[in-house]
Amino acid sequence: MSGNSLSIVGLSIIRGEKELYHNFFLEAASEKVTCIIAPSGSGKTTLLDYVAGIPLEHAEVHGQIFFAGKTERPAVSFLFQEPRLIPSADILHNVMFPLVNVMSREKAEKRARLFLDRVQLSEKCTSLPDELSGGEKQRASMARGFAYPSKLLLMDEPFQSQDLRIKLHLIETLRQLLSSEKRTVLFVTHDVQEAVSLSDRIVVMDGSPLKVVLDENQVKTEDKAFEERVTSFVCGTEIL
């Protein structure tokens, strides 16, 4: 693989008495969205934490990670299940917060305002997080993630707590951001519709330790039969 591809090589993770991964391999293509679907509590978030370099407490970990062919972990943007905004800071400063460590304050503010505009939150710059709706908070989180100049974006079920109408709007916002701001994306979920809507590739995993049971490289977003086939694997019964 080339460009800003991500490779996970020979990963084994044992946490407590549970083996989450055993000699696991995964490659995520440069500037594409690779989605992992697996059951709740199976180790999806643990995988993202490993990729991000977040220490895994009480875990035995072996393996290697490469990004753009290098072993140094890249700068990472993270979209979490919850927005994780600083309650006492307005939305502009929430988006600026990670930027001031990598650029001047003037450039950080300009970039933060640009991405708040792209997620249609320009008028909320001076608002505190508690003054925003749930969907607005998650859009602010998206603005923060894309404003940070990373090449790797990790998404941990960022639409999980939203109702269908808001979820569809957030997915469309994310699509627009990815079309103009290319990232290599690793996206974990257990929602097939989310996966089909956003992904270039879908990897379904199951078992303990987790193993790949389906790997679809060309996602067909308008093909209901394709969505049903993926759903059948997730539910454990393939539609033949």
Side-chain angles (χ1 to χ4, degrees), residues 74-193:
V76 171
S77 293
F78 219 129
L79 294 182
F80 299 94
Q81 294 176 10
E82 64 284 338
R84 299 196 183 184
L85 301 173
I86 302 169
S88 60
D90 64 32
I91 297 306
L92 176 62
H93 285 86
N94 264 282
V95 177
M96 285 177 59
F97 180 73
L99 300 180
V100 295
N101 294 319
V102 295
M103 61 185 71
S104 70
R105 192 168 188 83
E106 181 180 356
K107 288 182 178 179
E109 180 174 346
K110 183 177 180 180
R111 189 167 175 86
R113 289 185 182 278
L114 170 65
F115 281 89
L116 283 169
D117 180 62
R118 289 187 179 179
V119 299
Q120 301 176 349
L121 285 177
S122 292
E123 295 181 356
K124 301 289 185 177
C125 284
T126 59
S127 299
L128 294 174
D130 284 348
E131 298 171 324
L132 271 59
S133 68
E136 288 173 334
K137 290 177 184 177
Q138 200 60 290
R139 279 190 279 142
S141 177
M142 285 185 190
R144 180 183 59 194
F146 278 89
Y148 189 73
S150 64
K151 296 177 180 178
L152 178 61
L153 173 65
L154 305 177
M155 302 199 306
D156 185 7
E157 303 192 74
F159 316 115
Q160 176 177 272
S161 61
Q162 308 297 334
D163 64 34
L164 180 59
R165 181 182 62 83
I166 295 173
K167 179 187 294 189
L168 292 174
H169 181 58
L170 289 171
I171 287 173
E172 183 56 33
T173 300
L174 188 59
R175 275 196 194 127
Q176 293 172 6
L177 287 167
L178 285 170
S179 69
S180 59
E181 296 290 325
K182 299 297 184 182
R183 298 285 197 279
T184 300
V185 182
L186 191 59
F187 170 35
V188 302
T189 185
H190 60 266
D191 188 306
V192 175
Q193 289 184 327

Side-chain angles (χ1 to χ4, degrees), residues 32-97:
K32 300 291 184 181
V33 179
T34 299
C35 178
I36 292 177
I37 302 177
S40 296
S42 60
K44 302 187 301 297
T45 297
T46 299
L47 181 64
L48 292 189
D49 288 346
Y50 167 75
V51 172
I54 298 172
L56 303 181
E57 295 183 357
H58 312 297
E60 182 181 339
V61 183
H62 302 281
Q64 284 187 294
I65 183 169
F66 299 88
F67 189 78
K70 300 178 181 179
T71 55
E72 297 86 359
R73 278 182 169 82
V76 171
S77 293
F78 219 129
L79 294 182
F80 299 94
Q81 294 176 10
E82 64 284 338
R84 299 196 183 184
L85 301 173
I86 302 169
S88 60
D90 64 32
I91 297 306
L92 176 62
H93 285 86
N94 264 282
V95 177
M96 285 177 59
F97 180 73

